Amino acid sequence: MNYNILIGGAAGQGINTLSSLLEKILHRKGYYLFSNMDYMSRVRGGHNFVQIRFGDEPITSHHSALDLVIALDQETLDLHQSRLKDTGVIFIDRSLNESKTSDNKQLKTYDFKSVAKELENNRVEGSVTVGAVLKHFGLDLDYVKESCDSIFKKVSIAQLNYTAIEKGMDLAESLLTLNPMPNNQDKILINGNQALALGALAGGLDYYVAYPMSPSTGIMTYLSSKQSEAGIVVEQAEDEIAAINMAIGGAYAGARSMTGTSGGGFSLMVESLGLSGIMEIPLVVVDVQRPGPATGLPTRTEQSDLSFVLTASHGEISRMILSVKSAEDAFYATVRALNIADKYQIPVIILSDQFLADTSQTIDAFNFDNITINRHISKKEDITEGTYKRYEMTENGISPRIIPGKIEGQVILSDSDEHDEYGNITESADVRIKQMNKRMQRLEMLKSVVEEPEHFGSEQPNLLLMGWGSMYGPLQEAVKMLQDDGYKVASLVFGDLYPLPTKLLEKYHDKANTLVNVEQNFTGQLGKLIRQETGIHCQKSILKYDGRQLSGEEIYNRVIKEVL
Amino acid sequence: MTDVKKFDRDVEIAWCPGCGDFSILNALKTALSELDLEPHQVTVVSGIGQAAKMPQYIRTNGFNGLHGRALPPALAIKTVNKDMNVIVNSGDGDSYGEGGNHLLHNIRRNVNIAHFVHDNQIYGLTKGQASPTTDENHKTAIQPEGVIVQKFNPIAFAIANGAGFVARSFSGDIKHLTETMKAAIQYNGYAIVDILQPCVSFNKINTFKWYKDRVYALDHTYDPSNKSEALIKADEWGDDIPIGIIYKRQEQPSFTDLIPQLNDAPLIDRKRHPIDAEKFMNDFK
Ligand SMILES: Cc1ncc(C[n+]2csc(CCOP(=O)(O)OP(=O)(O)O)c2C)c(N)n1
Ligand code: SF4
């Protein structure tokens, strides 16, 4: 069982409050949720919507067929009516439906606005609607009080909204009955940005510096809201160049540092990415992708920065690139990125995207017990010959790192210029070769650290679908649908992208006769990377670059039409 | 006073013989030793340029970053380790040209760092192009008809935008320079010192003699706390160029003083445990 609700209207009409309240209640009642946002780059007006899919089993993708549309404006009605299932209904306020379409059986006209007016607060209209939705699905008032308390911080406002929900329930009729769900204390409902930020906190982040850019801003907003409680410092820099240089400076001085942005901001950071490379300073940079180039589609989704981040920086540096596959993965991957950056003293780039950033999903609560924070900082005893050498030649290419000021008499010199073991500038060809070898040697070591892509589906697939990052959930759903139709199909979804893990790729490539890369970009960047690193070709590509995420169902349809 | 020799680094110095940068290096070493600082207690940060080679030539912690980008890492170093003495040493091109935006915002931040700008009124490392402080009509390979744009006035800019400590000094007056540096380092807040420094190779106009003939030191009759007087002084340039602390505001809480999380120990001394973040998960239950 799962249902798909769409709430649409203009920016400023309260879609967010309505949806967060409804989501919280459904979540507390134990249902699995998957909710994603589609919004325009404007503060008021325009057309925006949230889709909430919920059911009694985990859900990994959005879906187009709708069971319920809550239309806060005419545009929502016009745009989404056609997606309604035969059994579906539309809720609208009476004020919107005075003359029109009164014979449409799917249309349910309610007095949301006037009930809110009776309660002397127009802003509770959303909560009245929530009440009607609950009633529609045959749900009771359990957990509604708690949910109001957690969404509305002020007691009187929470109480008012609770009353609004109660009143809203009286408006509608119960057309459905849902399976009751067990208590879900061990589940959370979280979006990609929040999960990533929480992962950073669990991973021992000290210092986060960024410049606002959608859709990455949510990370900074979340971290700022927790900064005093967590004892970290979050700073809004004057621009992205400052942000990354501050993160690098903070890391040099001993803080676990991170910055986050979207593609445009990342473009500005590129010279400095190389700086962290040659300085051997650990750094985590998050790129929450949106469609480019330039300002592109600011609030939409795309996976088109992979090729760019692979070689971003002039010259050559060791780097690691990983993408996050889901909210759950974003949490653990961020912890891992912070540890890897410190261990190998390299920049680690995390690729996320707008879809993931703004998608909330019910997942198992994170397990904090198995997380470790490994700083790999050397102590006085580790300085062997009396004088510390920041760029000491070592067997594995990683020099001991100490913190400036912490060991009496020892100083640390880091440069953007080529340098010798002490950090002194040099133009010696010999030293250049040695330091380059030392820095680049880490790429080899990273190959043993990278995690293989996640395999899903048949062990003996004829058809292998490959994707990365946020294609994870939709691909899982597509594979399930194709398997249900009897196809021998599997997917490999990459989290770690560079260095590229190749074991599973080689294993399944031998079995499958058709390889398809499924990506949110124009040029098939994963396909290119795979070809470059392994010589393996994808025969087909399923690509999308309209700024909207592929759903499981959409991948399924396109595989049937374009591949099989 | 710590031993000034502790700040010597055993490397070959790549500045031209006679360059004003040498005196600035010596003054900095003397200032640090007179302030009783040890090399590990100081971090010298720079961008790129001749002046920016400073961290290479002084034995302290050093961060020799990117062109124009000295301030962001410097303020970050101070933010995460407020016990560190952070000093930026960089050129006029680096500080006022490529790094202009950071200068503006660092004044706003008032981070407790000292910023020493080696102002030779020219780009040295890239061989003599105009810098933001090059005088009008000055001819260079890139400005063959002479500079046609107004010169940037760092002193007036800093005072007008709210910097708490604004000074000018001259590399030819080591004693004055040393004392000014000491005052800047001791000031709790952002302190900028514009240091007139001859470039013997590329600036044939603003030579050692040119500066020597013009600079005069402000004496005790000058009151640096008077902002409108300071702005008038800031505009003095020509036959007479004042050096000294042009403006000094009473100390106010600096950036790190204003962040409650930094009240106790430096950020880098906080012990972190993953489990401490577990409580934040409750919001999502
Ligand atoms: C991004 C970038 N642009 C340009 C340069 C080239 N560059 C190096 S130093 C410099 C100017 C330095 O002038 P200034 O800061 O006045 O220092 P000086 O050499 O005079 O001491 C320039 C343009 C660079 N290194 N990086
Ligand atoms: S070029 Fe000018 S600034 Fe550079 S070292 Fe030579 S004299 Fe000094």
Side-chain angles (χ1 to χ4, degrees):
Chain A
M1 162 218 116
N2 76 62
Y3 292 99
N4 204 8
I5 306 175
L6 182 144
I7 306 165
Q13 278 196 302
I15 296 177
N16 281 346
T17 324
L18 201 168
S19 61
S20 3
L21 186 58
L22 184 58
E23 284 172 32
K24 195 69 161 187
I25 296 170
L26 291 171
H27 170 68
R28 291 255 165 115
K29 283 176 174 288
Y31 296 100
Y32 287 89
L33 277 102
F34 187 96
S35 102
N36 69 302
M37 275 164 70
D38 193 296
Y39 56 101
M40 301 187 66
S41 182
R42 52 194 283 182
V43 176
R44 296 245 162 222
H47 176 66
N48 300 271
F49 60 89
V50 177
Q51 302 186 103
I52 304 172
R53 207 176 159 195
F54 74 100
D56 52 6
E57 278 175 39
I59 305 168
T60 61
S61 172
H62 61 299
H63 191 73
S64 68
L66 299 170
D67 298 283
L68 172 63
V69 172
I70 298 165
L72 302 180
D73 61 4
Q74 184 64 38
E75 204 175 351
T76 303
L77 211 58
D78 300 343
L79 281 170
H80 300 288
Q81 208 160 11
S82 61
R83 290 170 55 193
L84 210 60
K85 293 183 190 165
D86 293 342
T87 51
V89 297
I90 303 172
F91 282 10
I92 58 165
D93 187 76
R94 189 165 313 280
S95 62
L96 257 179
N97 192 34
E98 257 156 21
S99 55
K100 308 165 204 112
T101 49
S102 49
D103 54 337
N104 183 343
K105 288 213 176 53
Q106 292 188 297
L107 215 54
K108 307 262 170 211
T109 307
Y110 293 123
D111 290 313
F112 299 133
K113 271 196 207 311
S114 51
V115 172
K117 208 173 235 155
E118 275 166 37
L119 291 170
E120 292 174 2
N121 189 332
N122 294 336
R123 286 162 63 192
V124 301
E125 186 190 335
S127 298
V128 179
T129 314
V130 168
V133 174
L134 294 176
K135 186 68 177 293
H136 176 78
F137 286 103
L139 294 165
D140 55 25
L141 276 167
D142 288 355
Y143 300 101
V144 171
K145 179 103 195 40
E146 299 87 318
S147 303
C148 286
D149 290 344
S150 98
I151 299 274
F152 305 100
K153 297 285 170 250
K154 220 172 143 185
V155 182
S156 57
I157 301 287
Q159 179 57 44
L160 182 67
N161 280 281
Y162 178 77
T163 313
I165 292 177
E166 270 187 315
K167 297 237 182 254
M169 279 188 135
D170 296 342
L171 297 177
E173 49 191 327
S174 289
L175 294 182
L176 299 158
T177 20
L178 302 189
N179 310 336
M181 296 293 287
N183 174 297
N184 72 341
Q185 269 307 298
D186 52 348
K187 298 264 190 302
I188 55 172
L189 177 64
I190 193 166
N191 74 28
N193 271 347
Q194 293 162 334
L196 197 150
L198 189 55
L201 290 179
L205 178 80
D206 295 302
Y207 189 45
Y208 187 84
V209 197
Y211 184 79
M213 185 168 186
S214 296
S216 69
T217 315
I219 298 171
M220 181 164 46
T221 313
Y222 180 76
L223 290 172
S224 306
S225 74
K226 300 294 172 203
Q227 66 171 323
S228 52
E229 215 181 324
I232 62 167
V233 172
V234 177
E235 189 166 358
Q236 178 181 328
E238 55 269 31
D239 56 33
E240 289 83 354
I241 300 176
I244 188 169
N245 278 284
M246 285 159 74
I248 293 171
Y252 162 86
R256 214 166 225 201
S257 305
M258 189 163 124
T259 182
T261 184
S262 188
F266 190 87
S267 296
L268 290 178
M269 291 181 175
V270 167
E271 187 192 18
S272 313
L273 192 77
L275 178 70
S276 88
I278 194 167
M279 280 194 165
E280 303 181 32
I281 290 182
L283 175 72
V284 174
V285 184
V286 187
D287 173 0
V288 187
Q289 301 162 91
R290 72 190 212 188
T295 309
L297 290 170
T299 60
R300 308 270 166 209
T301 201
E302 202 161 271
Q303 296 183 297
S304 50
D305 293 349
L306 172 59
S307 297
F308 173 44
V309 302
L310 276 170
T311 54
S313 166
H314 55 286
E316 295 156 309
I317 57 170
S318 283
R319 80 189 73 201
M320 177 159 170
I321 297 166
L322 52 92
S323 61
V324 291
K325 296 181 289 220
S326 61
E328 183 161 19
D329 185 44
F331 176 83
Y332 297 106
T334 305
V335 177
R336 189 165 153 256
L338 288 163
N339 282 333
I340 289 175
D342 264 343
K343 176 160 184 191
Y344 297 97
Q345 301 175 13
I346 51 163
V348 177
I349 300 160
I350 300 179
L351 291 173
S352 179
D353 56 39
Q354 183 271 331
F355 179 74
L356 243 185
D358 293 330
T359 292
S360 294
Q361 206 180 343
T362 309
I363 53 175
D364 289 338
F366 300 125
N367 182 353
F368 285 71
D369 298 337
N370 299 336
I371 292 175
T372 49
I373 298 173
N374 296 321
R375 296 300 316 275
H376 305 279
I377 307 272
S378 300
K379 300 200 177 61
K380 198 169 175 175
E381 306 80 76
D382 304 323
I383 302 169
T384 41
E385 285 157 37
T387 306
Y388 175 70
K389 294 189 248 179
R390 174 67 271 256
Y391 301 109
E392 189 176 329
M393 300 303 301
T394 57
E395 216 162 289
N396 65 6
I398 300 168
S399 314
R401 172 168 169 243
I402 65 170
I403 302 300
K406 290 294 170 195
I407 301 177
E408 216 178 298
Q410 302 295 350
V411 295
I412 298 141
L413 178 56
S414 289
D415 341 66
S416 63
D417 280 81
E418 191 56 87
H419 43 253
D420 64 15
E421 287 185 276
Y422 291 95
N424 294 128
I425 294 183
T426 181
E427 296 195 29
S428 149
D430 180 49
V431 174
R432 163 73 176 178
I433 294 169
K434 287 196 175 118
Q435 289 291 341
M436 270 301 278
N437 290 349
K438 166 174 171 292
R439 291 191 293 264
M440 298 310 287
Q441 193 180 340
R442 290 168 219 184
L443 275 181
E444 272 314 305
M445 300 170 77
L446 284 168
K447 285 186 183 157
S448 61
V449 176
V450 290
E451 287 176 359
E452 290 293 320
E454 220 163 297
H455 166 264
F456 189 82
S458 165
E459 268 305 320
Q460 303 285 339
N462 294 328
L463 173 68
L464 185 61
L465 303 176
M466 286 183 298
W468 56 282
S470 68
M471 275 299 109
Y472 176 68
L475 271 172
Q476 274 194 354
E477 186 162 324
V479 166
K480 255 188 246 158
M481 293 169 81
L482 289 162
Q483 278 186 315
D484 287 349
D485 284 3
Y487 294 107
K488 285 178 77 180
V489 53
S491 67
L492 285 182
V493 182
F494 289 78
D496 289 0
L497 287 160
Y498 190 79
L500 186 74
T502 53
K503 286 196 196 74
L504 284 191
L505 186 63
E506 268 151 18
K507 175 176 161 192
Y508 289 102
H509 158 249
D510 284 346
K511 302 183 175 166
N513 39 30
T514 313
L515 269 63
V516 185
N517 55 314
V518 184
E519 304 181 58
Q520 296 277 150
N521 58 51
F522 186 89
T523 51
Q525 302 186 4
L526 174 67
K528 275 203 284 191
L529 176 63
I530 289 174
R531 202 154 67 236
Q532 172 190 312
E533 298 293 307
T534 64
I536 295 172
H537 276 258
C538 295
Q539 286 81 19
K540 297 256 163 123
S541 295
I542 293 180
L543 304 172
K544 191 178 180 190
Y545 39 86
D546 63 357
R548 279 79 174 166
Q549 184 84 347
L550 280 160
S551 66
E553 175 196 30
E554 210 175 337
I555 299 172
Y556 166 85
N557 288 333
R558 287 186 61 177
V559 167
I560 303 270
K561 226 196 280 160
E562 298 167 29
V563 180
L564 292 169
Chain B
M1 199 158 84
T2 49
D3 181 3
V4 71
K5 290 216 158 45
K6 281 190 179 176
F7 296 100
D8 291 348
R9 216 184 257 278
D10 181 22
V11 288
E12 190 199 334
I13 297 190
W15 288 323
C16 310
C19 173
D21 283 330
F22 286 99
S23 321
I24 302 179
L25 172 62
N26 289 335
L28 182 59
K29 286 182 186 171
T30 312
L32 295 178
S33 85
E34 288 184 10
L35 288 173
D36 229 5
L37 291 167
E38 294 285 347
H40 70 274
Q41 297 172 322
V42 180
T43 301
V44 176
V45 183
S46 70
I48 293 297
Q50 297 285 32
K53 289 178 181 162
M54 190 64 105
Q56 297 289 323
Y57 304 147
I58 185 163
R59 200 177 158 274
T60 60
N61 297 296
F63 185 105
N64 177 198
L66 293 174
H67 187 42
R69 315 297 168 205
L71 284 172
L75 66 95
I77 293 165
K78 188 71 189 180
T79 306
V80 305
N81 184 1
K82 60 179 179 159
D83 291 348
M84 182 59 71
N85 293 279
V86 183
I87 297 166
V88 174
N89 261 272
S90 233
D92 45 314
D94 195 77
S95 298
Y96 307 143
E98 187 90 61
N101 193 31
H102 307 309
L103 175 68
L104 165 63
H105 293 282
N106 196 52
I107 292 174
R108 292 180 52 227
R109 281 193 188 91
N110 194 31
V111 183
N112 184 12
I113 60 179
H115 184 180
F116 301 150
V117 184
H118 302 213
D119 189 353
N120 54 14
Q121 302 188 252
I122 204 83
Y123 281 8
L125 191 60
T126 47
K127 301 197 162 72
Q129 305 80 16
S131 92
T133 51
T134 304
D135 289 321
E136 276 175 59
N137 303 321
H138 187 138
K139 291 190 171 123
T140 79
I142 311 274
Q143 292 82 19
E145 308 297 328
V147 171
I148 56 167
V149 295
Q150 287 181 43
K151 83 185 247 193
F152 176 73
N153 182 335
I155 304 282
F157 176 85
I159 298 170
N161 283 289
F165 183 108
V166 186
R168 178 185 283 130
S169 193
F170 171 42
S171 69
D173 186 345
I174 289 223
K175 190 149 176 15
H176 185 273
L177 180 57
T178 310
E179 289 308 316
T180 314
M181 283 180 164
K182 278 161 63 182
I185 294 168
Q186 283 177 307
Y187 183 78
N188 182 40
Y190 174 65
I192 180 169
V193 184
D194 186 65
I195 305 168
L196 303 176
Q197 167 235 333
C199 166
V200 294
S201 300
F202 297 111
N203 191 338
K204 305 290 187 201
I205 294 172
N206 312 101
T207 59
F208 181 81
K209 186 173 180 317
W210 191 93
Y211 289 125
K212 188 88 190 154
D213 289 346
R214 287 168 174 77
V215 301
Y216 74 96
L218 295 166
D219 60 21
H220 65 275
T221 58
Y222 177 74
D223 173 14
S225 69
N226 184 329
K227 193 165 176 176
S228 34
E229 283 298 314
L231 278 168
I232 294 170
K233 269 288 160 232
D235 260 344
E236 217 175 287
W237 183 272
D239 291 344
D240 298 301
I241 303 172
I243 59 171
I245 299 173
I246 314 254
Y247 178 64
K248 186 177 169 189
R249 183 181 64 205
Q250 204 177 9
E251 283 178 12
Q252 293 174 358
S254 73
F255 183 77
T256 43
D257 299 328
L258 293 170
I259 300 177
Q261 301 92 284
L262 297 179
N263 279 349
D264 329 316
L267 195 62
I268 54 167
D269 290 342
R270 277 191 83 119
K271 296 273 165 291
R272 308 225 176 253
H273 308 287
I275 205 76
D276 295 342
E278 197 181 19
K279 57 177 179 289
F280 300 128
M281 203 166 57
N282 288 332
D283 301 341
F284 303 105
K285 283 202 162 145

